[in-house]
Amino acid sequence: MSELSAKFIRPECFTEDFDDLLKTISEFAQRRNSEHLWPTESWEALKEAGVLSWNVPLEFGGADLNSVEMTYGYTRLAEACLTTTFVLTQFNAACQRINWSADRNLKTSVFNELITGTMFATVGISHLTTSRQHLSKPSVIAKKTSKGWLLNGFVPWVTGAVHADYIVTGGVCDDGTQILGLVNTDFPGVDIQSPIEMLSMTGSQTGAVSLNQVTIPAANLIAGPVENVMKRLDGQGGAGSLTTSALALGVARRAILRLEAEAEQRPDLLEIFNPFHAEYQAIMAEMFEALNSGTLNGSISEKIRERSNSLVIRASQALLAAVKGAGFVKGHPAERAIREAMFFLVWSCPQPVVNANLKEFACVLD
């Protein structure tokens, strides 16, 4: 399946070396039980290719990719391996928030560790944006002390927690404001729980972290106290950003490519493949046009997410129907694609997007 002809679809910074990286990661992902294993080899490949520097500013030795480059990279990487790419998004999310810190010494030290792969960072911020917001008591309580900040509570979703050296997380103060800080996982009181087995991507080793009266030094305060610290600093707090759409489109493209391969043997499937191909291209074009023109806003992002969710779910199901019983066997690309597609119904999924997906399931027209 060819790329769109528009030159902005493949930024110049992605050379043939990136194609080699995609091939390597894809091969790792196709190994038996790869979904259940932490992507050690793929992560090493990302490090060697310089990918760990993508979201680090130039002044700290990073590549500082722009939104067009980052979105393209995520789309192609997710096509190769969703688990590895999801872990990367959480690592990059940590880098983004660490850069909010006003402490240059902290950033210089930590970014060097992260770029070189000697340390791994992730985020535990869903309780500040979407997860557990319905609870009357904050999931994590933050209190200022003479030594810095005291965090006490439960962080529900932390990808790669058992591998992390740093977790960017936060809590809610007595007055309702929030803080964000950098927690070293070897701090006293940090209790990393066993990863949970998920419908897909268990290899991301996502699990909960308990913070039992954990003190973080003042230098580790990244932002706050301020109301809605995530929304205040990055506009959307991570929920519903183009990152999630990019990964969904990557998984969708993988399924559509498999449909194309099936159509080579069964030409009748071309009438199924062609509309999916056209739809994928249209969403990609809209996404990159908005990024390049600077017209991206919350409404456009939300619509792209709705369409990306719909496409990945339908394309994976179409692939299963096309390959028939073989695709119902554990480990088949169709079976895996269907389970991975379900992830986008729950990952940073704003309620309007959920509602749109539910209406499509129920065949309810606006």
Side-chain angles (χ1 to χ4, degrees):
M1 184 173 67
S2 60
E3 289 278 3
L4 287 177
S5 58
K7 63 182 180 181
F8 59 73
I9 286 296
R10 185 180 176 100
E12 293 181 357
C13 66
F14 293 99
T15 64
E16 292 182 1
D17 289 341
F18 185 64
D19 294 332
D20 293 337
L21 173 66
L22 294 175
K23 182 180 179 181
T24 297
I25 291 176
S26 178
E27 290 173 351
F28 288 151
Q30 292 173 42
R31 291 178 178 175
R32 185 175 179 84
N33 292 327
S34 64
E35 266 195 297
H36 291 81
L37 302 175
W38 177 253
T40 302
E41 293 173 305
S42 292
W43 195 256
E44 181 67 20
L46 294 186
K47 184 189 76 172
E48 293 299 321
V51 174
L52 303 188
S53 69
W54 276 9
N55 210 30
V56 175
L58 294 173
E59 61 183 308
F60 298 107
D64 197 18
L65 297 194
N66 61 38
S67 59
V68 172
E69 295 164 338
M70 188 76 77
T71 302
Y72 175 84
Y74 278 152
T75 303
R76 297 307 311 280
L77 284 171
E79 178 188 337
C81 179
L82 180 59
T83 299
T84 301
T85 310
F86 175 54
V87 172
L88 178 64
T89 67
Q90 304 308 284
F91 175 86
N92 281 342
C95 291
Q96 178 188 2
R97 275 78 189 193
I98 291 168
N99 196 43
W100 291 348
S101 171
D103 192 319
R104 185 177 180 83
N105 291 331
L106 175 72
K107 292 192 285 189
T108 299
S109 173
V110 173
F111 279 144
N112 179 67
E113 294 172 330
L114 299 183
I115 290 174
T116 58
T118 57
M119 296 289 190
F120 174 73
T122 188
V123 292
I125 54 178
S126 63
H127 61 289
L128 299 175
T129 55
T130 56
S131 179
R132 304 174 72 86
Q133 290 295 289
H134 61 285
L135 301 179
S136 58
K137 182 180 178 181
S139 182
V140 178
I141 296 174
K143 292 185 178 181
K144 187 172 177 54
T145 70
S146 59
K147 297 181 180 179
W149 288 87
L150 188 68
L151 297 178
N152 190 53
F154 182 79
V155 184
W157 299 100
V158 184
T159 294
V162 293
H163 299 274
D165 301 286
Y166 299 109
I167 300 174
V168 174
T169 189
V172 181
C173 305
D174 290 339
D175 61 0
T177 58
Q178 300 176 339
I179 69 158
L180 201 65
L182 186 66
V183 175
N184 296 52
T185 55
D186 60 1
F187 282 170
V190 177
D191 181 15
I192 298 176
Q193 301 182 15
S194 299
I196 55 179
E197 185 169 357
M198 303 189 294
L199 181 63
S200 64
M201 302 186 309
T202 294
S204 69
Q205 301 203 350
T206 298
V209 175
S210 292
L211 302 175
N212 305 310
Q213 302 294 325
V214 175
T215 295
I216 64 171
N220 283 36
L221 179 68
I222 292 174
V226 65
E227 293 184 2
N228 298 316
V229 65
M230 301 300 299
K231 292 182 179 180
R232 181 68 64 89
L233 291 169
D234 72 1
Q236 291 182 313
S241 71
L242 284 185
T243 295
T244 51
S245 297
L247 268 63
L249 288 169
V251 176
R253 186 175 191 272
R254 190 197 319 143
I256 296 170
L257 280 171
R258 296 286 302 195
L259 270 175
E260 183 180 35
E262 291 293 322
E264 291 178 358
Q265 305 298 322
R266 297 167 51 195
D268 59 298
L269 288 176
L270 284 174
E271 66 176 345
I272 306 301
F273 161 74
N274 287 331
F276 276 123
H277 183 198
E279 184 177 354
Y280 165 81
Q281 288 188 309
I283 299 173
M284 287 283 284
E286 179 181 350
M287 183 166 66
F288 282 96
E289 182 177 348
L291 286 170
N292 277 277
S293 64
T295 58
L296 183 68
N297 56 38
S299 177
I300 293 175
S301 178
E302 188 175 286
K303 290 299 181 183
I304 291 173
R305 178 67 190 277
E306 290 175 10
R307 295 174 64 194
S308 300
N309 270 23
S310 174
L311 178 62
V312 70
I313 292 169
R314 290 182 288 107
S316 59
Q317 292 175 334
L319 177 61
L320 175 61
V323 300
K324 302 182 179 180
F328 205 68
V329 177
K330 184 72 173 178
H332 190 279
E335 179 266 345
R336 179 170 180 168
I338 284 177
R339 288 185 292 102
E340 290 184 344
M342 296 300 100
F343 177 56
F344 299 100
L345 295 175
V346 298
W347 178 36
S348 295
C349 202
Q351 195 58 47
V353 176
V354 174
N355 292 340
N357 292 146
L358 288 173
K359 287 181 178 180
E360 182 175 22
F361 297 154
C363 297
V364 176
L365 299 178
D366 290 328

